[in-house]
Amino acid sequence: EMQVDELQRLLAGLEKEHRSLVAEMKDGEAELARLRSVEGDKLAQQDRAAQLEKEVAMLREKIHHLDDMLKSQQRKVRQMIEQLQNSKTVIQAKDSTIQELKERVSYLEAENLEMHDRIEHLIEKQVSRGGHSSRARSKSEYVSSKRLTGPKPLPLIRVVET
């Protein structure tokens, strides 16, 4: 964006110079026309006319060169703007994908918690039923029942010996 701003600033300067050169050329052409219309073949007027013709030719060449530079800079600015827009589109697409993945993770975490609740409920049922059966289960049969910690809470894992 800074490069685009810099190029736009340069373009504005080139356009300003272009306008001043066009105005100067018009002034020179007007003076040349005035000198030609004046009667007399004075040597000074002829020299001035020749000088003005040279200046006008030189100014036309400068204007042509500036026009070429302006077109080139405008192309560069358009390309940079296109690149910025393409980059924004790519970023938006990636942001959208990230958001979808976040939603999926949230959904899966909720589903995981629900599954843990069901497992705990089933284990509690088995433990309560186990007390009535011929073989009572001890707590030592449940080898592991702990929640792992990390950047995000991990699912509750229980391993049951059968």
Side-chain angles (χ1 to χ4, degrees), residues 109-119:
E109 285 176 345
E111 196 174 75
N112 193 15
L113 286 175
E114 183 181 337
M115 293 298 256
H116 285 296
D117 289 345
R118 286 183 185 172
I119 289 172

Side-chain angles (χ1 to χ4, degrees), residues 3 6 16 30 45 49 72 76 81 89 102 122 127 134 149:
Q3 286 179 335
E6 179 66 22
K16 183 179 177 182
Q45 287 179 343
S72 172
K76 286 181 183 178
I81 289 170
T89 302
K102 284 181 179 178
L122 288 173
V127 168
S134 61
T149 59

Side-chain angles (χ1 to χ4, degrees), residues 58-148:
M58 185 181 68
L59 290 172
R60 281 190 180 135
E61 188 175 322
K62 282 185 179 180
I63 289 170
H64 179 72
H65 179 69
L66 280 174
D67 283 341
D68 290 345
M69 286 178 60
L70 279 172
K71 288 176 186 174
S72 172
Q73 294 299 323
Q74 287 170 342
R75 271 194 302 272
K76 286 181 183 178
V77 168
R78 278 193 295 272
Q79 287 172 350
M80 291 179 84
I81 289 170
E82 255 181 57
Q83 287 175 347
L84 282 172
Q85 289 172 340
N86 290 340
S87 296
K88 286 179 183 179
T89 302
V90 168
I91 289 170
Q92 287 173 348
K94 287 184 179 185
D95 283 346
S96 174
T97 302
I98 289 170
Q99 187 60 35
E100 288 175 16
L101 290 173
K102 284 181 179 178
E103 289 172 4
R104 283 183 68 192
V105 166
S106 295
Y107 173 77
L108 291 173
E109 285 176 345
E111 196 174 75
N112 193 15
L113 286 175
E114 183 181 337
M115 293 298 256
H116 285 296
D117 289 345
R118 286 183 185 172
I119 289 172
E120 285 179 14
H121 180 70
L122 288 173
I123 290 172
E124 287 173 7
K125 275 186 171 181
Q126 284 180 347
V127 168
S128 65
R129 268 193 268 148
H132 293 59
S133 70
S134 61
R135 181 176 168 251
R137 295 184 183 199
S138 68
K139 286 189 177 183
S140 64
E141 289 184 53
Y142 300 102
V143 176
S144 174
S145 175
K146 72 175 191 178
R147 188 172 292 271
L148 301 174

